[in-house]
Amino acid sequence: MSQLIRHVIAGLGLACLSLPSYAQKKAAYLAPRQYQVYQTTTPIKLDGKPDEAAWQKAEWSQDFTDIEGDKQPAPAMRTRLKMLWDQDHLYILAELEDANIWATLHQHDTIIYHDNDFEIFVDPDGDTHQYFELEINPFNTVMDLFMPKPYRENGDALMNWDAQGMRTATHIDGTLNKPGDKDKKWTVEMSIPFSAFGFFNQHIRIKDSTMWRINFSRVEWDTDIVNGKYVKRKDKTTGKPLPEHNWVWSPQGIINMHAPEKWGYLFFVQKPVGSTPVKIAIPSIEEAKENLWEVYHQQNAYRQSHGRYATSLSDLGLTETTFTAYGITYTLSMEAISGQFTATISDKTGMHKASIDQEGKVTTQKH
C-alpha cells in the first residue's frame, strides 16, 4: 500500500476511532524534538557536499527514528541532518547512510516516495493548515506540494505549487544503480527561499527565536537484486512489495506524516553558526494544546456516534477543565453547535491563549 494511501487512511482513522474518555488518565506529554538553527555569513555552494566552514560548525540533529518511535525497532541505517539560515534562505543538509543506493524517477512532481527518498514537511505558523511537503530522491528529482489542510480533513494535495527559487543537489558516496557493490551514503543539500512559503506577496519574517513546526522523513524500501537490477522485495505470500520503512527526525507516534501537530520545533537563532549554543524552551502553551487535541478527537468520535458535535465539554466526559503546564494554569472552554465547535485554552491573564476548531486548525494568540 502506498505511503500516500496509508497517510489518508491513517488520517481518516483519527476521526473514526472511539478514543478514551478525557476523565481517564492521559499519557505523559512527550515533547517533539527541537533544533536551533544558526546563521551563515558566507554563501553556500549547492553541490550536495558539506564542504563549507559553516556546515562544519553546524550541529547534527538527533538520528532518525521509526515514525512510531520506540514502538518499533530502530532504523537499520543512520539518517541525520543539519540546518543553517541567512536573511533570505533556509539551508538543509541531510546525510542518509545506504549500502545500496538506487533511484528510478526523473520527472518533477512524480510520486518520489516510490523510490527511496528524503522528505521535508514545513508549517511556518504552526496552525496545522497551509503547510508544505518536499520530496527528493538520489537523482535529485523533486516533488513539491502544498496542503491547504491535512488529509484527515479531506485536504487536497496541490501539486501545481512549486517552491519558487529553491535549489537542490545530491551527492552519491558510492555508485548509483549498481547492484553488487557496497555504497556508503547519499547526501542532500537544499536552499529554500523564505519567500517560497508566502502567498499573495506575504513576507515571511524571521527574527531571533522565531518558531516553526517542521519534520523530516526518509522512505526506505527493502530490495533484492534480480537480473542485475534492484527490485522491491516482495511478500512471499501475496507477491506484493513489502511496505516501505518510514524513518523520521521527530517521531509521530502514528504512521502518518500528515499530522502537523506532532512535528518537531525549529527555532531560528540570530547568531552566527559556531556561537555559544543557546537553549530556547518550547512555549508552555504547546504542551497545553494537547488538551485541545483531546477535544478534537473526542468530538470526532462523538460525531461518528451521534451524527453531530457535542455542545458541551461534559457531553464528552471532559470534567477536568483546569490544568497546569510548566507552572502556568490554563482553563479549557468550548463553544459549539451541532455542525461546528471552537475549544479554547487560556491562562487567567489572557496572555497565553489558543483555540482549535472542527477542522483541527489551531489559532495561537500572539503577544
Side-chain angles (χ1 to χ4, degrees):
M1 185 182 298
S2 76
Q3 188 182 41
L4 178 59
I5 295 174
R6 293 202 296 136
H7 284 168
V8 176
I9 293 175
L12 292 177
L14 291 176
C16 299
L17 291 175
S18 178
L19 297 172
S21 169
Y22 186 83
Q24 295 179 357
K25 185 177 180 180
K26 296 170 61 179
Y29 173 68
L30 179 62
R33 289 177 168 180
Q34 59 178 297
Y35 187 94
Q36 276 76 240
V37 56
Y38 293 80
Q39 290 181 304
T40 177
T41 57
T42 57
I44 299 295
K45 180 182 178 182
L46 267 291
D47 56 6
K49 303 175 185 178
D51 297 333
E52 293 84 0
W55 279 133
Q56 299 302 314
K57 294 176 183 178
E59 294 291 330
W60 284 109
S61 71
Q62 303 100 318
D63 289 354
F64 281 30
T65 74
D66 185 86
I67 191 170
E68 294 186 272
D70 294 339
K71 297 177 185 178
Q72 300 295 337
M77 292 175 281
R78 188 184 201 185
T79 312
R80 56 182 182 167
L81 60 92
K82 298 180 177 186
M83 285 179 273
L84 295 166
W85 71 288
D86 61 23
Q87 183 176 357
D88 299 311
H89 303 85
L90 174 66
Y91 300 96
I92 298 169
L93 174 77
E95 179 185 86
L96 300 85
E97 291 184 353
D98 199 337
N100 299 290
I101 303 174
W102 61 274
T104 64
L105 301 172
H106 291 275
Q107 184 176 345
H108 178 75
D109 276 351
T110 46
I111 307 302
I112 301 301
Y113 62 72
H114 288 168
D115 285 352
N116 291 343
D117 77 352
F118 176 70
E119 304 178 354
I120 304 167
F121 299 81
V122 184
D123 182 9
D125 63 7
D127 68 353
T128 77
H129 284 213
Q130 296 183 325
Y131 61 86
F132 308 87
E133 178 180 353
L134 310 167
E135 300 181 1
I136 187 169
N137 72 0
F139 272 141
N140 194 31
T141 307
V142 170
M143 183 188 84
D144 43 11
L145 63 84
F146 170 70
M147 292 293 298
K149 55 185 178 180
Y151 291 119
R152 65 189 172 207
E153 292 296 337
N154 298 315
D156 292 323
L158 302 183
M159 301 290 290
N160 59 351
W161 175 82
D162 289 322
Q164 294 293 333
M166 180 175 70
R167 296 180 296 135
T168 65
T170 58
H171 177 73
I172 309 298
D173 190 351
T175 51
L176 181 62
N177 290 334
K178 186 178 180 182
D181 67 348
K182 187 173 182 179
D183 306 316
K184 293 183 178 180
K185 62 186 177 183
W186 61 287
T187 53
V188 176
E189 198 172 22
M190 310 181 79
S191 169
I192 310 173
F194 295 125
S195 59
F197 300 123
F199 288 93
F200 306 111
N201 296 319
Q202 175 191 12
H203 181 63
I204 303 296
R205 301 182 184 277
I206 304 297
K207 58 183 181 180
D208 194 43
S209 299
T210 289
M211 183 183 82
W212 286 10
R213 300 303 298 268
I214 196 168
N215 211 350
F216 303 88
S217 174
R218 173 181 180 176
V219 169
E220 187 75 16
W221 297 88
D222 292 323
T223 58
D224 291 314
I225 300 174
V226 179
N227 297 325
K229 294 182 178 181
Y230 290 117
V231 297
K232 293 175 183 176
R233 186 169 299 161
K234 295 182 179 180
D235 184 280
K236 294 181 180 179
T237 301
T238 66
K240 297 179 180 180
L242 294 173
E244 73 276 25
H245 300 284
N246 295 280
W247 300 332
V248 305
W249 168 56
S250 189
Q252 295 283 106
I254 55 176
I255 306 175
N256 181 11
M257 286 305 295
H258 290 269
E261 70 277 7
K262 297 180 179 295
W263 296 351
Y265 294 91
L266 176 62
F267 290 100
F268 291 86
V269 180
Q270 203 164 9
K271 290 185 177 182
V273 63
S275 300
T276 302
V278 300
K279 181 67 174 179
I280 302 175
I282 297 174
S284 65
I285 200 166
E286 294 300 306
E287 177 180 349
K289 287 177 183 177
E290 291 292 291
N291 295 271
L292 296 179
W293 287 106
E294 186 72 12
V295 174
Y296 172 80
H297 294 313
Q298 291 282 28
Q299 280 283 39
N300 280 320
Y302 190 95
R303 190 182 190 190
Q304 184 73 15
S305 298
H306 298 82
R308 61 178 178 82
Y309 292 119
T311 55
S312 70
L313 293 173
S314 60
D315 287 343
L316 298 173
L318 308 185
T319 57
E320 298 179 19
T321 57
T322 301
F323 53 90
T324 301
Y326 293 101
I328 297 177
T329 300
Y330 294 87
T331 300
L332 173 68
S333 61
M334 185 179 72
E335 296 179 349
I337 57 177
S338 62
Q340 62 189 60
F341 70 88
T342 300
T344 302
I345 52 171
S346 179
D347 72 342
K348 62 181 180 180
T349 68
M351 295 291 289
H352 301 85
K353 187 174 183 180
S355 61
I356 193 169
D357 66 13
Q358 68 279 354
E359 290 193 327
K361 183 173 183 178
V362 176
T363 302
T364 306
Q365 187 167 313
K366 308 290 186 180
H367 291 280

